[in-house]
C-alpha cells in the first residue's frame, strides 16, 4: 500500500481552496522570557491537544541545539511526549537534522515511536546542523561534514527501516519493516532535488526562506519520479501565521517573533520576548529590512485578513498541505491564533 495514500489521491482539478487541503502545526517549543522548558512542553502538549480537536493533520517538532528560546533539542523525546498525550493527530519531526546523528540511532528511535503509536509517526529529515560549529562539535559530529553526505546517510537510514533488512549484520530493532513516512525538508534546492529523485514528500521552510520557495517547489515538481511511496509530488509548505480578533492585535503579537529573529541577526539568541507596541527604536533600518525580508511570507491579521492572505499564499505555492508556525508569547493568544485558522479551514464553502 502507498504511504499515506491521501497524498497521491487529492483532487487536482480547479483552484485549490484552504478548505481543500490539510493544515498542520510546526512547533519549536518556545521557551518564554521568564519561563522554563517544562512550561514550554506543557504548553506544546496543550496546543497539540487543541490542534487535534480542531482537525489539524499533523504536529511536528523541530531540532535545534544551544538555543535559549527553543526547548525541542531532544526532538524524539518530545515527539513521544506529544504522541502520548494525544490520540489521533500525526506527530513527527520537522525535522531531525540527520548529520547530527547516526542513521541507526534515528531508525531505532523512530521505530520505537512508531511501535508505541502505530500509524501516527512522521520522520521529517533535514541536512542542516541546526546549530553552530562549536555545538556541532559538542554533538560529537564530524564538523568537516557539510551535508553533502546526506544522501548516503538517508539511504542507510532507509535500509535500516526496510522490511528486507533482516539478513543484515546490523539491524534496527525496533524499526525494520515499519511503515514510517519519511519526508525531506529544505530551505533551498538541494533537498527538493533529492526528494524528487527518490519520490518522497517534500516540506519547504517558506517561514524563514521565502525567496527560495517557488524555485524549490518548481524543482521538486518538475523533476519528480514516481516511487513506491508516491505516485505524484506532494509538497507541504511552512508559513508563519499570527491571527487575532483585530489586525492591530495580530501585528502586536508578531513582534515577539520579530524580536527573536532580530536577536538571531545580532548573534544573540534568547528566550521568546513579550510583544511590544512597536519595533521602532528596537531595530535599526538595516535590521528591520533584514528581518522583514526573511519573514516576508508571514501572515498577520484579523480572521478575514488571514483568510485572504492564506488563500493568496496557497494560490502562489499550490501547496498540497500547509504547516503553520507562530512564535506568540502568550499561550492563550497562541491557541486563539490556531483556533481562528481551524475555523477558516472548516468554513463552509459558498
Amino acid at each position: 500500500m502507498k504511504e499515506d495514500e491521501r497524498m497521491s489521491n487529492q483532487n487536482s482539478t480547479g483552484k485549490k481552496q484552504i478548505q481543500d487541503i490539510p493544515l498542520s502545526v510546526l512547533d519549536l517549543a518556545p521557551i518564554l522570557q521568564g519561563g522554563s522548558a517544562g512550561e514550554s512542553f506543557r504548553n506544546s502538549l496543550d496546543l497539540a491537544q487543541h490542534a487535534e480537536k480542531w482537525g489539524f493533520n499533523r504536529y511536528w517538532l523541530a531540532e535545534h541545539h544551544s538555543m535559549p528560546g527553543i526547548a525541542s533539542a531532544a526532538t524524539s523525546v518530545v515527539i513521544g511526549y506529544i504522541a502520548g498525550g494525544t490520540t489521533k493527530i500525526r506527530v513527527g519531526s520537522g525535522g531531525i537534522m540527520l548529520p547530527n546523528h547516526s542513521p541507526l540511532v534515528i531508525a531505532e528511535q523512530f521505530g520505537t515511536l512508531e511501535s508505541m503509536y502505530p500509524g501516527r509517526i512522521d520522520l521529517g529529515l533535514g541536512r542542516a546542523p541546526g546549530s553552530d560549529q562549536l555545538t556541532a562539535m559538542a554533538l560529537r559530529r564530524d564538523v568537516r561534514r557539510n551535508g553533502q553526505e546526506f544522501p548516503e546517510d538517508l539511504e542507510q537510514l532507509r535500509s535500516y527501516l526496510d522490511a528486507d533488512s533482516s539478513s543484515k549484520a546490523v539491524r534496527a530493532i525496533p524499526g525494520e519493516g515499519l511503515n514510517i513516512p519519511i519526508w525531506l525538508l529544505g530551505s533551498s534546492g538541494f533537498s527538493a532535488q533529492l526528494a524528487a529523485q527518490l519520490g518522497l514528500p517534500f516540506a519547504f521552510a517558506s517561514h524563514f526562506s521565502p525567496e527560495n520557495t517557488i524555485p524549490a517547489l518548481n524543482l521538486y515538481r518538475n523533476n519528480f519520479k514516481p516511487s513506491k511511496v508516491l505516485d505524484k509530488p506532494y509538497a507541504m509548505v511552512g508559513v508563519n501565521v499570527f491571527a487575532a480578533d483585530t489586525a492591530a492585535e495580530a501585528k502586536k503579537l508578531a513582534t515577539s517573533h520579530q524580536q527573536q529573529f532580530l536577536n538571531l541577526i545580532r548573534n544573540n539568541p534568547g528566550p521568546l520576548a513579550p510583544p511590544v507596541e512597536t519595533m521602532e527604536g528596537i531595530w535599526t533600518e538595516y535590521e528591520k529590512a533584514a528581518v522583514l525580508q526573511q519573514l516576508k511570507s508571514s501572515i498577520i491579521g484579523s480572521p478575514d485578513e488571514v483568510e485572504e492572505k492564506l488563500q493568496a499564499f496557497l494560490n502562489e505555492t499550490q501547496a498540497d498541505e500547509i504547516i503553520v508556525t507562530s512564535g506568540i508569547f502568550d499561550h492563550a493568544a497562541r491557541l486563539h491564533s490556531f483556533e481562528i485558522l481551524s475555523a477558516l479551514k472548516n468554513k463552509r464553502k459558498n
Side-chain angles (χ1 to χ4, degrees), residues 46-76:
D46 188 47
L47 175 57
Q49 290 169 340
H50 279 85
E52 181 173 75
K53 179 179 67 176
W54 290 330
F56 284 86
N57 188 39
R58 53 186 105 237
Y59 195 99
W60 279 9
L61 294 125
E63 176 187 350
H64 292 275
H65 299 280
S66 197
M67 298 287 286
I70 298 176
S72 52
T75 316
S76 300

Side-chain angles (χ1 to χ4, degrees), residues 28-45 67-73 78 81 271:
L28 272 63
I31 300 175
L32 307 181
Q33 194 174 98
S36 66
E39 179 186 22
S40 299
F41 297 140
R42 290 187 290 273
N43 287 343
S44 290
L45 180 57
M67 298 287 286
I70 298 176
S72 52
V78 186
Y81 174 66

Side-chain angles (χ1 to χ4, degrees), residues 89-227:
I89 194 169
R90 298 194 66 88
V91 187
S93 58
I96 290 290
M97 301 297 107
L98 192 54
N100 293 337
H101 309 280
S102 154
L104 175 61
V105 169
I106 297 304
E108 291 171 338
Q109 289 179 357
F110 278 77
T112 300
L113 288 167
E114 175 63 23
S115 298
M116 291 176 171
Y117 311 105
R120 295 181 55 209
I121 300 300
D122 295 326
L123 175 51
L125 298 169
R127 71 183 187 101
S131 63
D132 56 62
Q133 190 175 49
L134 288 175
T135 305
M137 292 176 65
L139 287 165
R140 305 297 189 267
R141 173 178 172 266
D142 184 349
V143 295
R144 294 170 297 179
R145 292 164 62 92
N146 57 10
Q148 295 303 313
E149 302 86 357
F150 180 76
E152 289 74 25
D153 288 345
L154 173 62
E155 182 180 3
Q156 187 178 15
L157 172 58
R158 296 181 78 192
S159 74
Y160 286 131
L161 297 176
D162 196 306
D164 297 328
S165 65
S166 59
S167 62
K168 295 183 178 179
V170 177
R171 300 167 61 182
I173 309 293
E176 67 179 29
L178 297 180
N179 181 24
I180 305 171
I182 290 179
W183 293 67
L184 296 194
L185 281 56
S187 57
S188 63
F190 185 97
S191 291
Q193 182 76 42
L194 184 60
Q197 291 174 354
L198 299 176
L200 294 175
F202 177 57
F204 187 82
S206 187
H207 55 292
F208 67 80
S209 186
E211 291 293 331
N212 293 323
T213 304
I214 301 304
L217 292 176
N218 287 341
L219 187 64
Y220 172 61
R221 290 166 176 151
N222 292 338
N223 293 279
F224 183 84
K225 297 178 180 178
S227 68

Side-chain angles (χ1 to χ4, degrees), residues 288-346:
K288 176 181 179 179
V291 171
L292 294 183
Q293 176 64 25
Q294 196 162 11
L295 301 179
K296 75 174 187 176
S297 66
S298 297
I299 294 172
I300 305 169
S302 65
D304 287 344
E305 290 172 320
V306 167
E307 180 177 23
E308 180 181 353
K309 293 174 183 178
L310 194 60
Q311 183 61 54
F313 182 77
L314 178 58
N315 293 345
E316 181 182 18
T317 62
Q318 287 298 295
D320 299 291
E321 186 169 344
I322 291 175
I323 188 164
V324 174
T325 185
S326 59
I328 295 175
F329 182 83
D330 181 74
H331 182 59
R334 187 180 181 211
L335 286 178
H336 188 48
S337 182
F338 280 100
E339 184 179 23
I340 289 171
L341 274 176
S342 73
L344 298 179
K345 163 66 180 170
N346 297 317

